[in-house]
Amino acid sequence: MSQFDVTIIGSGPGGYVSAIRCAQLGFKTAIIEKYSSLGGTCLNVGCIPSKALLASSHHYEELQHFADHGIDVSGDVKVNLTKMIERKQAVVDQTSGGVKYLMDKNKVTVFEGVGSFESATSVKITKNDGSSEVIESKYVIIATGSKPSTLPFISIDKERVITSTEALKLPEVPKHLVIIGGGVIGIELGQVYMRLGAQVSVVEYMDRIIPGMDGALSKELTKVLKKKGMKFYTSHKVKEVTRNGETVTVKADDTKGNEVVLEGDYCLVAVGRRPYTDGLNADKAGVKMTERGQVEVNDHLQTSVPNIYAIGDVIRGAMLAHKAEEEGVLVAEYLAGQKPHIDYNLIPGVVYTWPEVAAVGKTEEQLKAEGVAYKSGSFPFKALGRARAGGDTDGFVKILADAKTDEVLGVHMIGARCADLIAEAVTAMEFRASAEDISRMSHAHPTFAEAVKEAALAATDNRALHV
């Protein structure tokens, strides 16, 4: 029977990064993945493929505005969805192959099959051909991730009523794509197909899209997407989804009980994700679960069984790949006797639409609810030289700072390159910078990052220079 110091069940960003760090720290490490490709949901049917399609569709949309830049494109410009999806898959394959390379480089033993507990230190690997083997491990890290959620009355047929997984490989551009859920996944995939020519309607139960982010970001993104043709039905509760041939009918009620009926050829159910522990047999090891189906962990991400840990989407907190990575590293270093930490308030969130949306720290709504005295400074991209030069003038940067100490409490931005700009805010907040600290840092001109400096100036003493 093979024996390991650390065995990780699941090879998503949390799992494979944890495996690398464990190996770096001298642990004999194994990783178990039930699929033939490594990388989990993020690399195979999540972050990476969706960004590949967002990039391809963005190029197509930009082509429509080349004339504004003095570039005349003659002839027919057509979308080849099949080729677009083939490119997406090539990106996925290359990325997954990169993970395999990293496992080999770090001498991590990879097992293909379903990992399940036989005991707290014994893990059974059931392979696709029906055979199995059991390995022993001093420590086990559960990194089994999540799967798309649905609503009890919706039947996902994976043809016309689909999840994000199927939306990444549709055989055609929908005529009318009805999306249930106005969160990150629904809005991103909605923009992909709207760019390619689909009519897109979003039905959201809450009173705004991307409801977990600052209200100002939601308002601005709604405005931009509406202008481009996306339709929104916020504060609507879906009550029925039926399919008849190639037509899917979605019925929903607004807050007054008025019924709205939407008919489309595809319906994307994007109502969130659920922790995935199917087949794990956690009870055999004595691992406790929460009422929400998550693995219960303490501050060190240790489960109810001392030698078993859990990370990523399968535990509490935001379901983000980079959060899972940080947790994977934390557990590895904790097992090695180090004292790592994670400030969950400083895990950034990003929506990869265009304009991009990014945020870190507290929202205005949260600060108000907590009774925190704060000041706010904003700077619009339309006042930014680099944004005007490129034609990307939608959006703004908003900085929230403590009214007394000036410490930055939250940064919220929407606009070009915000997915990258947010890292500056995270760095500043990790070192407990004040808005004045950021305002006194030199930012290259002309860049999008100048919007962060200007917002800090606005928050410091309402003295932004260029607005």
Side-chain angles (χ1 to χ4, degrees):
M1 185 182 295
S2 298
Q3 295 189 337
F4 297 90
D5 296 319
V6 182
T7 295
I8 299 155
I9 305 176
S11 73
Y16 87 73
V17 167
S18 188
I20 293 171
R21 190 69 184 115
C22 284
Q24 288 176 341
L25 291 166
F27 293 111
K28 184 181 179 183
T29 307
I31 193 164
I32 304 170
E33 173 55 55
K34 72 174 186 174
Y35 294 113
S36 58
S37 58
L38 301 176
T41 291
C42 178
L43 270 65
N44 291 280
V45 290
C47 322
I48 300 303
S50 63
K51 302 314 164 278
L53 289 181
L54 278 162
S56 296
S57 63
H58 184 55
H59 288 316
Y60 176 68
E61 184 178 51
E62 281 191 313
L63 194 60
Q64 319 305 313
H65 303 286
F66 273 16
D68 297 340
H69 293 268
I71 303 170
D72 294 324
V73 179
S74 60
D76 292 335
V77 177
K78 297 179 181 178
V79 171
N80 186 330
L81 185 61
T82 300
K83 195 164 186 177
M84 194 177 286
I85 289 177
E86 286 175 354
R87 176 191 174 274
K88 176 264 305 182
Q89 191 57 47
V91 171
V92 169
D93 294 342
Q94 183 179 24
T95 309
S96 179
V99 176
K100 178 65 169 66
Y101 163 78
L102 291 171
M103 296 299 98
D104 293 341
K105 176 187 175 184
N106 289 280
K107 296 180 174 56
V108 175
T109 302
V110 178
F111 291 95
E112 184 180 334
V114 176
S116 60
F117 285 103
E118 290 286 285
S119 71
T121 57
S122 299
V123 180
K124 180 180 180 181
I125 303 158
T126 304
K127 302 176 183 178
N128 292 332
D129 62 6
S131 64
S132 64
E133 65 176 302
V134 178
I135 62 174
E136 284 288 317
S137 189
K138 184 178 180 181
Y139 299 106
V140 179
I141 302 174
I142 301 169
T144 48
S146 61
K147 292 287 184 183
S149 295
T150 185
L151 298 173
F153 54 86
I154 298 179
S155 176
I156 305 289
D157 62 22
K158 298 186 178 183
E159 294 176 351
R160 295 285 169 177
V161 183
I162 60 176
T163 69
S164 57
T165 301
E166 294 77 45
L168 294 168
K169 53 183 179 182
L170 288 182
E172 61 184 351
V173 176
K175 297 179 182 68
H176 183 194
L177 175 62
V178 180
I179 301 174
I180 300 174
V184 177
I185 295 171
I187 296 300
E188 286 184 356
L189 291 173
Q191 188 172 51
V192 166
Y193 287 106
M194 182 175 69
R195 287 167 171 167
L196 301 182
Q199 177 188 341
V200 176
S201 299
V202 178
V203 185
E204 168 57 46
Y205 178 73
M206 302 295 284
D207 61 356
R208 57 190 175 92
I209 61 170
I210 53 170
M213 303 188 88
D214 191 273
L217 299 181
S218 173
K219 183 178 180 181
E220 180 73 5
L221 184 60
T222 300
K223 183 185 79 174
V224 173
L225 294 178
K226 270 187 176 179
K227 190 175 179 181
K228 293 179 180 294
M230 194 175 289
K231 295 182 179 180
F232 296 99
Y233 299 84
T234 52
S235 298
H236 278 67
K237 182 179 180 180
V238 174
K239 61 181 181 180
E240 184 180 302
V241 177
T242 55
R243 175 187 173 183
N244 183 13
E246 296 183 354
T247 301
V248 181
T249 303
V250 176
K251 293 182 180 180
D253 290 337
D254 66 14
T255 53
K256 296 180 181 179
N258 299 315
E259 184 180 76
V260 171
V261 180
L262 299 172
E263 287 190 348
D265 49 341
Y266 288 91
C267 174
L268 168 59
V269 182
V271 293
R273 299 181 64 84
R274 63 173 179 84
Y276 183 73
T277 57
D278 298 9
L280 186 61
N281 290 338
D283 55 328
K284 271 195 174 183
V287 174
K288 290 183 180 178
M289 313 292 285
T290 70
E291 292 180 356
R292 299 181 62 186
Q294 299 166 324
V295 177
E296 191 175 286
V297 293
N298 62 17
D299 290 343
H300 299 299
L301 307 184
Q302 187 178 38
T303 71
S304 53
V305 182
N307 71 302
I308 301 175
Y309 294 74
I311 62 175
D313 289 4
V314 81
I315 67 169
R316 63 177 182 246
M319 291 185 174
L320 297 169
H322 46 286
K323 174 225 181 217
E325 290 185 10
E326 297 299 327
E327 290 174 337
V329 171
L330 181 143
V331 171
E333 293 179 349
Y334 183 73
L335 294 179
Q338 298 181 17
K339 296 182 179 180
H341 80 283
I342 298 173
D343 185 343
Y344 284 98
N345 182 52
L346 299 185
I347 300 289
V350 178
V351 187
Y352 293 88
T353 49
W354 197 265
E356 293 176 334
V357 184
V360 65
K362 300 288 188 180
T363 66
E364 276 206 66
E365 291 81 4
Q366 288 172 326
L367 292 176
K368 288 175 181 176
E370 294 169 11
V372 176
Y374 69 94
K375 51 187 179 177
S376 175
S378 296
F379 188 80
F381 271 50
K382 65 184 177 182
L384 200 64
R386 179 65 186 275
R388 286 197 299 271
D392 291 306
T393 55
D394 290 322
F396 59 85
V397 175
K398 178 170 74 171
I399 292 180
L400 306 174
D402 187 279
K404 293 182 180 179
T405 68
D406 197 37
E407 180 179 351
V408 177
L409 304 176
V411 180
H412 308 276
M413 53 180 73
I414 176 171
R417 309 302 174 196
C418 284
D420 300 304
L421 290 180
I422 198 64
E424 176 180 353
V426 176
T427 302
M429 291 176 69
E430 279 283 4
F431 287 92
R432 302 194 66 174
S434 65
E436 185 178 1
D437 287 332
I438 297 174
S439 75
R440 291 189 178 277
M441 291 166 52
S442 177
H443 288 64
H445 174 77
T447 61
F448 290 108
E450 287 178 285
V452 180
K453 177 186 175 80
E454 291 278 358
L457 282 166
T460 301
D461 193 22
N462 195 27
R463 56 187 180 94
L465 298 169
H466 291 89
V467 69

